[in-house]
Amino acid sequence: MNRTFCPACRRYFTALERCPVHGSPLSPLPRDWPVTASRFGDYVLSAPIAAGGMSRIYRGTCERDSRPVAIKVLNPALVAQAHTVERFFREARISRLLDHANIVGVEAFGVSEGGHPMMVMELLGGESLEATLRHGPIPWPRAVHIAIQLCQALGHAHSRRIVHRDVKPANVQLTGTPGPDERALLIDFGIAYVASDHAFTQAAPGSLRAFGTPAYMSPEQIRAQPLDGRSDVYSLGVVLFEMLTGRRPYQHADPAEVCRMHLHEHPPSLRAAAGGSVVLPRALEGVVSQALSRDRASRHAGVGALLAALEALESLPPDTRRRGLARTRPRTLVGQTATLYGVPAVATGTRQQGAAVALLHVSLAMSNGEDPADAPEVAPKVSALISAWRARVERAGGWVQEPALASARAFVGLLAPGESGRQVVLRAIQLFDTLRASLPAFEEAGGPPVTLHGGLVMRADREAADPERGLVLGDVDAEAAWYLALASPGGALLIGARARFAIGDAREVEPVPSVARPADLAALPAWRLVESP
């Protein structure tokens, strides 16, 4: 299905010819990389300075203060893939929530006038740790100095419920001269795992699948279990092992075999891997061995404990060894309000009495419990089903975001402020019914047996926190809709309190037990929508 975008509001669509907000014709997606002197807000792109499979980094300039910046641009060949675009912006949103001297900052992100997804970052010099290690292992004092800074960055992220999930040399940038002034920065939070609460009891929306680079994944990460900071401790242990020895603890050409080794084999001796000519403190061997324990209960309790062990080894003057886990730097945030789960934090325009937005979260679960994304023969069919539903939502005046392969969020009323809560909630319910009604035909056409789960919340204009900005949706709304969908029986739609009272007696509902939201230990009152006869 072809996708288009609006150059004015920078949103992507799939089934419309004109923007529902501006009425202007929609433009086709870009097919080529942006040219030199292309603009993105206050930023001007110049020459590309680095490239990868999914994106290209350009040198740019901020016209407000003539400051050099780095601008990351998604590969135009991938812009048509909704999930890839979502992952790109997810990295930007998570990075905006972090403010630490050892984490690369993102100061702005969005879609350019040409339709290119972009994010503006700090321009860094130096080289990646991966490039440094191509020349062989590095002295242990330097390795410890780098690991300490990574502990500080990870501790800051963990305090915000974020597990990086891809700590590896390619995601560490080194700047400055090796020594006390060398700076290590953690980059690329594109596959970060977000916990539902600070106790890391379960994953938050968008964090439920097994992601990572096999050579650096923790055993629990490979098993797709709920993660906490100890998963990053394990990955950092692998990086430490590689810095000290020039090789990874588990090496094989087959990634599946590497995963098996992580799960079932003991890592080789650090001293033996480093070679007899390299002298390492025995205490450092113990630190790395503990970090690489397959049983996470046997690892350091968190990066704070690992940091303390490393600082005891650091060969720097005593007055430079005291570092905090949350050292921050000032940053000017530009553009969208930071939001964790991708809910558009934008005003609905002119405030009107009774304006409301309904947020409908739907998810599809296979009857055998398998994740559709992990089944190559199933994934395209499920993706096509969601895409077809997206087109129906857009024709009904809604806007859809797909945070994962088998789930989507529909926002009704966001593009047409002024409608009452009753109107937008009833239209959202109708869209849920439409998707449910399409499932029998989907299975008859060869699709896998799936069950539909839904959660619906509403926010009204009078609840806006900032009268100047109008109606704003935030992470709390996304979490509420997701937890309601998670708790709904197969084929059912659970609705929140505001949505329930907005529809009045227009549809029959029945109360169900409150749904727990671990993020803040709140209980969400819920009602089950009774199907129409």
Side-chain angles (χ1 to χ4, degrees), residues 255-308:
E257 176 62 16
V258 173
C259 290
R260 187 200 65 78
M261 296 166 78
H262 279 294
L263 292 173
H264 302 293
E265 294 189 7
H266 293 289
S269 162
L270 181 65
R271 183 178 297 271
S277 60
V278 178
V279 179
L280 298 174
R282 291 197 176 274
L284 179 56
E285 294 182 57
V287 169
V288 175
S289 177
Q290 184 177 357
L292 289 177
S293 174
R294 286 175 295 167
D295 178 11
R296 58 178 159 184
S298 299
R299 289 176 219 148
H300 303 87
V303 290
L306 177 57
L307 174 68

Side-chain angles (χ1 to χ4, degrees), residues 102-171:
N102 297 111
I103 296 176
V104 176
V106 171
E107 62 180 66
F109 68 94
V111 180
S112 71
E113 293 181 1
H116 293 279
M118 298 184 179
M119 69 175 81
V120 181
M121 307 179 295
E122 177 184 356
L123 181 63
L124 301 174
E127 64 178 7
S128 70
L129 178 58
E130 181 182 51
T132 298
L133 293 178
R134 292 193 187 114
H135 305 291
I138 61 179
W140 73 263
R142 185 185 182 194
V144 168
H145 178 64
I146 292 170
I148 282 175
Q149 295 181 72
L150 297 179
C151 280
Q152 294 169 336
L154 291 170
H156 179 75
H158 296 172
S159 71
R160 283 154 175 76
R161 301 187 281 132
I162 297 168
V163 177
H164 187 279
R165 199 160 49 171
D166 202 20
V167 178
K168 59 184 180 181
N171 286 336

Side-chain angles (χ1 to χ4, degrees), residues 231-467:
S231 179
D232 282 342
V233 167
Y234 184 94
S235 300
L236 184 51
V238 177
V239 173
L240 253 175
F241 190 101
E242 188 172 359
M243 286 193 288
L244 296 167
T245 67
R247 52 156 290 185
R248 295 184 291 273
Y250 302 114
Q251 298 188 135
H252 197 278
D254 184 357
E257 176 62 16
V258 173
C259 290
R260 187 200 65 78
M261 296 166 78
H262 279 294
L263 292 173
H264 302 293
E265 294 189 7
H266 293 289
S269 162
L270 181 65
R271 183 178 297 271
S277 60
V278 178
V279 179
L280 298 174
R282 291 197 176 274
L284 179 56
E285 294 182 57
V287 169
V288 175
S289 177
Q290 184 177 357
L292 289 177
S293 174
R294 286 175 295 167
D295 178 11
R296 58 178 159 184
S298 299
R299 289 176 219 148
H300 303 87
V303 290
L306 177 57
L307 174 68
L310 292 171
E311 284 193 327
L313 293 164
E314 193 182 21
S315 59
L316 294 177
D319 59 341
T320 64
R321 289 175 55 184
R322 295 185 177 272
R323 293 179 171 89
L325 276 174
R327 183 174 57 186
T328 62
R329 64 180 183 274
R331 183 188 302 163
T332 301
L333 300 181
V334 181
Q336 289 180 301
T337 301
T339 177
L340 189 57
Y341 305 125
V343 181
V346 295
T348 57
T350 305
R351 300 179 74 244
Q352 300 184 35
Q353 183 65 32
V357 174
L359 193 170
L360 171 64
H361 187 114
V362 299
S363 61
L364 297 170
M366 295 177 60
S367 57
N368 62 4
E370 187 176 9
D371 188 329
D374 296 330
E377 73 284 359
V378 169
K381 298 177 182 178
V382 175
S383 180
L385 175 64
I386 292 290
S387 296
W389 185 68
R390 169 197 280 268
R392 297 190 187 101
V393 174
E394 289 180 0
R395 285 194 291 267
W399 178 77
V400 171
Q401 179 199 40
E402 299 175 47
L405 175 66
S407 68
R409 302 185 185 110
F411 301 89
V412 180
L414 186 67
L415 303 181
E419 294 181 316
S420 68
R422 184 186 182 93
Q423 289 174 301
V424 298
V425 171
L426 289 176
R427 188 142 29 100
I429 292 173
Q430 184 179 28
L431 290 170
F432 179 84
D433 291 339
T434 300
L435 180 56
R436 180 171 52 194
S438 69
L439 293 184
F442 169 71
E443 295 182 15
E444 290 176 4
V450 294
T451 56
L452 176 65
H453 302 268
L456 178 64
V457 299
M458 186 201 77
R459 175 156 293 198
D461 184 63
R462 62 180 178 275
E463 299 154 5
D466 185 352

Side-chain angles (χ1 to χ4, degrees), residues 21-87:
V21 177
H22 303 90
S24 56
L26 298 175
S27 300
L29 298 182
R31 295 187 177 182
D32 300 311
W33 293 99
V35 298
T36 301
S38 296
R39 301 184 63 88
F40 173 53
D42 293 327
Y43 306 93
V44 179
L45 281 70
S46 53
I49 55 178
M54 294 186 61
S55 60
R56 180 180 290 178
I57 306 292
Y58 287 75
R59 180 183 295 273
T61 303
C62 177
E63 291 190 321
R64 295 190 307 274
D65 50 16
S66 300
R67 174 172 44 86
V69 295
I71 302 177
K72 187 174 184 179
V73 182
L74 184 65
N75 190 328
L78 303 176
V79 176
Q81 301 176 11
H83 298 95
T84 303
V85 174
E86 168 60 23
R87 172 180 167 178

Side-chain angles (χ1 to χ4, degrees), residues 198-209:
H198 285 90
F200 291 87
T201 55
Q202 62 177 311
S207 298
L208 299 177
R209 293 175 54 205

